[in-house]
Structures are given as C-alpha cells and as structure tokens.
Amino acid sequence: MDKLSRRGLLTGAGAVVAAGTFGLPTATARNLSPTALPTTKRFKMSATTNEFFRSQPLHDATVMQSFAFDTPNNRLFAAQVRGGSVSNGGDLTLTRLDFAGNELGYMYLTGFGHAVSIGAEASGSTTYIWTETDVDTTNGRGRQICRFPWQSGKTLTTASVTKWKPVSNGTIFTPATDQRFGRLGVRYALADGMHINVYSLAAARAGDFSTVLASFKQPALTPGIDFQGWTLYGSYAYFWEGEAYPGEPDETKANSKLWCYDINAGEIVDSFLTLAGKSLTYREAEGMAVYGSTDATARLYFGFASGVTGARRANLFYRNTLV
C-alpha cells in the first residue's frame, strides 16, 4: 500500500509547476504536456469483471504490492516487500508467475523501495524490469528508477544497476510501462503532490529523459483511501485505490475503486467502485498493469492481496472492454 497518499500527496488537480529535469515550461493547465498524445480508446471502468487467478502464493509470504506483464513473451512478474526485511529498508522480492499463478522463479532486490508500481519490457526473449531504486530509509521509497534484465535466483543491490532521476527535484519515484504504445510513465512527488511524466520507452532505456511527451499532476482521488497502483495505456492513465477489510469478508466495507484519467483533457473521465473478489479474506487492492499488443487483446488488470498474516496470497482480475 502507498500510505503516503493518506497524508496529502495525492490531493489537488491543477497547479503551476515546473515538470522535469530538462526545462519543460510551466503551465496552468491540469495536463502540462507540451503536445497532446495521439488519442486512443480507453478501458471502461464498469465493464464485466473477469477473474484471472485467485489465492496464489508468491515467493515470499508478504502482501503483493504490484505486478507487470511482458506481453510479447507472455510473462508475469509480481513485487512484494521481502519477508523479514528491516522496516523502510527497501528490500523487495520479485516473483515470476505463469498465467495460472504458479511460481516460475524469483529475484531479490536489496535497498530498492516499496514497489507501488513496476514495469516490464521485452527485448527479444529477454525481459527487462523497471523499478524504483536507491531507497530513502526515512519513508521506504525509491529516490530513482532503474532497469535490469530478469535473472531468476539473482540478488541485485542498488550499486549493481544503472539509475536515473528523471526529475531533479522529485522524490518517491515509481515507473510503469506502456508496451503497446512504447512509453514509460514515471510517477514522482513534488512539494504540492504527486505528478506523472510520460517518456518514450526507447529513449528512457537509453537514459534520455530530455523529451517529456506528457506531464500532469495526479488528480485528487478518494480522501482517506490508500493509493495502490497505476498504469498507462495510450492517452489514458489508470489509478487503483482501496484498503483491506478489517476482518472477515464484508462487502459493505469495500472501498476499492478504479479510476480513468484522460491525459490530453486533463480530467477524470470514468471511475467505478468494484466488488471483484468480495469474498476474499483481507482483500487489499494492490497493483495494476496492462497486457496486450492490440486493442482486441488488451486487458487492464487489477490485483488484490488476500489471506492471513504470514500466508498472504495474490489475486488478479481484469477488464477488457475498450470504448
């Protein structure tokens, strides 16, 4: 969960800010993009819920924080805080899963962050993972982003990866990949709240963040509810929020909500309070990602952690209606 969101980092939909390290002009519009993204279809938030898998264990017994798909290679990866790690130490576990939720491998990341969001990118038969890194131990969040090849059984430290800080005065960085449209999103905090920049994925993997395709301040979502994930697809950004049930399943306490933001218009255009997985014990919203190389195959996935302490489980559901 992204507990920092409850303390005001997500509030506000419009302000004058300077976005990016490389001199993007300030603007008063909610979307601070110098140019509009080509308009695409968007996922319908109230569309039929489809279950992908339910109650699957990850490599560690902690809560799943996020996940990502390598679409060309049909691979799925999930991230969680490493079991037994020091609080705010930033130690993560990545698990590779098949599409039934069975473990196929794992990696350890030492001193990286909290993994509110991760990304995946195919390069031939190799999957590259995008994560935050260089943990700030005062809050457990990454101060930079990085990209590295998946290597099952490998342990990485922050010293063993190439790191970037795309926004010089930003903090609390998390990445998300839009493989369909070849873009990288970077979410980060400024003094007035959370912001998102969109870059070319090809340029970003070469370390070039000089061209910002779009930049906007994250809009206000539900006050007092934890932010749990985000992703990009075309000209839209998607947000996911929700908190765990306090005890046994109780759908009257469900507060997990999907949000769709039109980057070009600079406004929320759709939202939906979902009861997907309402019978799960604990049921905490965790993680969001897109799979698919065409509109016909595209799916917007959203996840839940479930189970009891010491035996948490991962659950994925999806929408596949585009409008």
Side-chain angles (χ1 to χ4, degrees):
M1 64 179 66
D2 190 357
K3 287 294 186 185
L4 295 173
S5 64
R6 278 213 265 200
R7 296 176 175 89
L9 291 179
L10 299 178
T11 57
V16 179
V17 300
T21 304
F22 300 93
L24 183 69
T26 60
T28 57
R30 285 167 292 181
N31 179 357
L32 307 177
S33 171
T35 58
L37 298 174
T39 301
T40 63
K41 292 184 176 181
R42 63 174 176 84
F43 290 98
K44 184 178 180 181
M45 299 293 88
S46 61
T48 301
T49 297
N50 301 278
E51 184 174 314
F52 195 54
F53 61 69
R54 182 183 289 249
S55 299
Q56 291 297 111
L58 302 180
H59 187 73
D60 261 326
T62 57
V63 166
M64 176 181 70
Q65 296 292 336
S66 57
F67 58 92
F69 289 92
D70 170 351
T71 293
N73 290 309
N74 287 315
R75 293 170 185 160
L76 169 62
F77 304 88
Q80 60 194 143
V81 174
R82 194 187 309 173
S85 60
V86 176
S87 178
N88 286 349
D91 297 341
L92 303 175
T93 300
L94 295 179
T95 305
R96 182 184 166 192
L97 304 166
D98 66 20
F99 283 8
N102 301 303
E103 181 177 343
L104 299 177
Y106 70 94
M107 291 182 72
Y108 288 138
L109 310 178
T110 302
F112 276 56
H114 192 70
V116 170
S117 176
I118 64 172
E121 175 193 358
S123 179
S125 61
T126 300
T127 301
Y128 282 83
I129 305 296
W130 288 84
T131 69
E132 66 197 276
T133 191
D134 186 24
V135 68
D136 180 344
T137 56
T138 64
N139 57 32
R141 303 312 202 255
R143 292 178 287 197
Q144 301 185 76
I145 61 170
C146 67
R147 173 184 181 267
F148 54 86
W150 170 262
Q151 299 175 77
S152 186
K154 185 83 169 179
T155 297
L156 299 181
T157 65
T158 59
S160 64
V161 296
T162 300
K163 300 178 283 288
W164 302 287
K165 189 175 184 180
V167 181
S168 61
N169 59 334
T171 60
I172 312 177
F173 287 88
T174 56
T177 50
D178 179 354
Q179 297 169 92
R180 166 79 191 282
F181 295 95
R183 298 185 187 123
L184 177 75
V186 178
R187 181 175 178 260
Y188 59 96
L190 294 178
D192 64 341
M194 301 304 297
H195 294 250
I196 291 174
N197 285 2
V198 181
Y199 304 92
S200 158
L201 185 57
R205 66 173 169 255
D208 181 2
F209 295 90
S210 60
T211 300
V212 182
L213 303 179
S215 183
F216 59 95
K217 184 177 181 183
Q218 186 174 308
L221 303 179
T222 306
I225 302 300
D226 288 332
F227 181 87
Q228 301 288 15
W230 69 283
T231 194
L232 300 173
Y233 186 77
S235 56
Y236 295 89
Y238 298 88
F239 306 116
W240 180 220
E241 66 177 11
E243 295 178 306
Y245 291 137
E248 292 302 306
D250 181 355
E251 68 178 76
T252 66
K253 295 181 174 62
N255 55 23
S256 299
K257 196 168 187 178
L258 300 157
W259 299 82
C260 176
Y261 178 84
D262 185 329
I263 296 172
N264 291 333
E267 61 185 10
I268 293 288
V269 293
D270 197 6
S271 63
F272 187 74
L273 184 68
T274 180
L275 294 179
K278 64 182 181 180
S279 64
L280 294 171
T281 299
Y282 183 73
R283 189 186 181 268
E284 183 176 21
E286 297 285 1
M288 178 177 256
V290 172
Y291 170 91
S293 57
T294 65
D295 282 350
T297 60
R299 297 176 175 183
L300 175 67
Y301 283 84
F302 51 99
F304 292 99
S306 66
V308 298
T309 301
R312 299 298 191 197
R313 296 291 184 264
N315 309 264
L316 295 191
F317 299 84
Y318 67 90
R319 302 273 197 268
N320 60 353
T321 300
L322 287 159
V323 293

